[in-house]
Amino acid sequence: MGLLSTLKSLFICHLIISYVFLVSGILINLLQVCTLPVWLVSKQLARRINIRLGYCIASQVVAVLEWWSGTECTLYTDPKSYPLYGKENAIVLLNHNFEIDFLCGWTFCERFGVLGSSKVLAKQELAYVPVIGWMWYFLEIVFCKRKWEEDRRLVAQSLQNLRDYPENYWFLLFCEGTRFTPEKHRASMQVAESKGLPKLKYHLLPRTKGFWMTVQNLRGTVSAVYDSTLNFRDNETPTMLGVLNGKKYHADLYVRRIPLELIPEEEKECAAWLHKLYQEKDELQGAYEKTGLFPGPKTSPPRQLRTLMNWLFWSCVVLYPLGLMLTHVISSGSALTIIAAVVVSSAASVAVRWMIGQTEIGKGSKYGNREVPPNTNGSS
């Protein structure tokens, strides 16, 4: 076991994993570009193809979490709701505290068969990130500029485009708008005080306008909201670098299914409903802090071998020509060729480290740090 842990911590292993992800991701992005003419013939066929291509990228990251890191995931939920997961469209509300919360979300998407088709409301800047951002463009991910007057029209149109989506999806919303930090929490609670809203201990105030817009535009298409709370055992603070180093974590996810018809249609009532939900989420988080457990039955949906097989397939596709190239470089004895190979390898390493850096809490957006003027209707 010690030898395996040492192997997982080696830079060369990280470089191989990164190389496979980057090169295969770019190749898949190019295949996605080739689906553009298909849109002119059959939009639904193009969508189905892009779902599979998107899965080829996202499941590589899931494979690293599940098979390389060995991270385990336990689900707490109502047994009556469990059979519906993956069989219906849903809006997922998740707390935003950890660097890898999105990755754990992908893991559960994979285990219920909706990884390739799932959506998220993401900041516009992510659309320009190679591989993931470009993949999201073809998967019709909803991007926002966090400027309400612009997003009111653009986000609504993107959501309307999903009404005829051909396969089941989960639409992920981080209603807090940004990752939780002590600084953002203090600013958020100042806003709560100015608006006369109950203060939260473990969450930021939810941004109600985006939630209301999503619910209104997906009514009749989405069946339920999945109120989800993610934690890690033993007060661990997992990171992408930790996962890449093979560190094993244990995630606990609580999911409560709320039928969409129970959510008010009027904006003001919907905002009040969401604030009440986050007060309940705060109480649930407080209970977990004390007991290390969520209430109700728990289960562990099995990890799927297909994520590992997908990673092995793309590894063979991109590592074989790399091996041939390295053999040629070494046999050539050319100093210039060897230097060029080292430069390319270093550039790949820097690129991956930059992408990992985008997930770090310390590199998160400043959104939520500014104090927002009081709003008398209780929405944000």
Side-chain angles (χ1 to χ4, degrees):
M1 193 62 183
L3 179 61
L4 182 59
S5 298
T6 301
L7 179 66
K8 289 182 177 181
S9 66
L10 293 177
F11 174 74
I12 185 63
C13 292
H14 302 167
L15 192 59
I16 291 173
I17 292 173
S18 303
Y19 176 83
V20 171
F21 177 74
L22 282 175
V23 176
S24 66
I26 295 297
L27 289 175
I28 294 167
N29 286 158
L30 292 174
L31 291 175
Q32 290 182 300
V33 172
C34 294
T35 66
L36 289 175
V38 181
W39 278 80
L40 302 176
V41 179
S42 173
K43 180 175 74 171
Q44 300 296 51
L45 175 60
R47 283 171 154 177
R48 293 182 186 276
I49 294 173
N50 275 291
I51 287 171
R52 273 74 193 171
L53 292 175
Y55 176 86
C56 288
I57 294 177
S59 68
Q60 289 189 49
V61 190
V62 172
V64 172
L65 181 74
E66 293 184 335
W67 296 96
W68 180 260
S69 165
T71 292
E72 298 181 12
C73 301
T74 299
L75 175 66
Y76 292 75
T77 194
D78 181 358
K80 294 180 181 179
S81 299
Y82 189 90
L84 298 174
Y85 298 154
K87 305 297 191 302
E88 62 181 0
N89 295 337
I91 298 170
V92 179
L93 305 184
L94 186 63
N95 57 319
H96 205 8
N97 297 61
F98 307 100
E99 291 184 11
I100 66 167
D101 44 24
F102 78 95
L103 183 50
C104 290
W106 279 6
T107 296
F108 282 99
C109 285
E110 159 59 25
R111 296 187 184 192
F112 289 100
V114 293
L115 177 60
S117 58
S118 286
K119 315 299 175 193
V120 64
L121 180 62
K123 58 186 179 182
Q124 183 68 42
E125 297 90 326
L126 293 176
Y128 308 109
V129 176
V131 183
I132 295 293
W134 299 346
M135 169 192 77
W136 278 355
Y137 173 81
F138 287 96
L139 289 179
E140 299 170 80
I141 293 299
V142 180
F143 294 104
C144 65
K145 297 182 178 180
R146 292 171 168 175
K147 297 178 181 178
W148 174 245
E149 292 307 317
E150 295 184 48
D151 289 337
R152 183 197 297 269
R153 178 179 57 83
L154 296 175
V155 172
Q157 182 58 56
S158 297
L159 290 168
Q160 284 292 319
N161 292 339
L162 298 179
R163 295 188 65 84
D164 64 344
Y165 207 72
E167 299 190 17
N168 291 326
Y169 61 84
W170 291 352
F171 190 96
L172 175 61
L173 275 178
F174 291 115
C175 284
E176 295 165 89
T178 185
R179 280 201 179 94
F180 183 100
T181 66
E183 295 76 18
K184 293 174 183 177
H185 181 253
R186 283 193 294 270
S188 182
M189 292 308 99
Q190 288 174 3
V191 175
E193 185 174 2
S194 71
K195 293 182 177 182
L197 295 170
K199 292 187 177 182
L200 305 175
K201 184 177 181 180
Y202 303 101
H203 298 82
L204 309 179
L205 281 182
R207 306 273 170 165
T208 61
K209 288 185 182 295
F211 174 74
W212 173 75
M213 178 187 292
T214 302
V215 169
Q216 290 304 101
N217 281 280
L218 295 181
R219 281 191 187 275
T221 302
V222 165
S223 302
V225 164
Y226 295 167
D227 171 30
S228 308
T229 302
L230 176 71
N231 275 303
F232 289 86
R233 296 185 186 177
D234 303 319
N235 294 316
E236 290 182 311
T237 54
T239 65
M240 280 298 296
L241 282 177
V243 170
L244 202 55
N245 280 316
K247 182 173 174 55
K248 181 177 181 179
Y249 302 105
H250 196 131
D252 286 328
L253 181 69
Y254 173 84
V255 178
R256 175 174 54 152
R257 183 183 183 275
I258 304 171
L260 203 71
E261 56 265 24
L262 297 182
I263 301 174
E265 293 193 28
E266 295 298 323
E267 182 177 358
K268 187 174 181 179
E269 285 77 8
C270 183
W273 182 91
L274 186 62
H275 281 299
K276 184 176 184 297
L277 179 72
Y278 266 75
Q279 292 165 32
E280 295 172 358
K281 289 172 73 71
D282 218 51
E283 294 173 0
L284 180 69
Q285 180 70 10
Y288 187 92
E289 290 284 323
K290 294 178 181 178
T291 65
L293 296 169
F294 285 123
K298 61 181 179 180
T299 183
S300 295
R303 60 183 178 179
Q304 302 297 320
L305 187 62
R306 61 189 173 219
T307 59
L308 179 61
M309 298 304 296
N310 175 72
W311 188 86
L312 291 174
F313 168 78
W314 288 105
S315 296
C316 293
V317 168
V318 302
L319 289 178
Y320 177 71
L322 176 66
L324 293 179
M325 184 191 73
L326 290 177
T327 301
H328 173 71
V329 167
I330 294 173
S331 61
S332 70
S334 168
L336 183 60
T337 305
I338 294 174
I339 290 173
V342 171
V343 169
V344 170
S345 299
S346 300
S349 175
V350 170
V352 170
R353 184 63 187 86
W354 175 81
M355 294 178 70
I356 291 174
Q358 304 311 299
T359 71
E360 295 175 355
I361 292 176
K363 300 281 185 66
S365 76
K366 303 302 180 183
Y367 186 68
N369 279 342
R370 295 182 301 171
E371 186 171 337
V372 180
N375 186 338
T376 56
N377 68 6
S379 64
S380 55

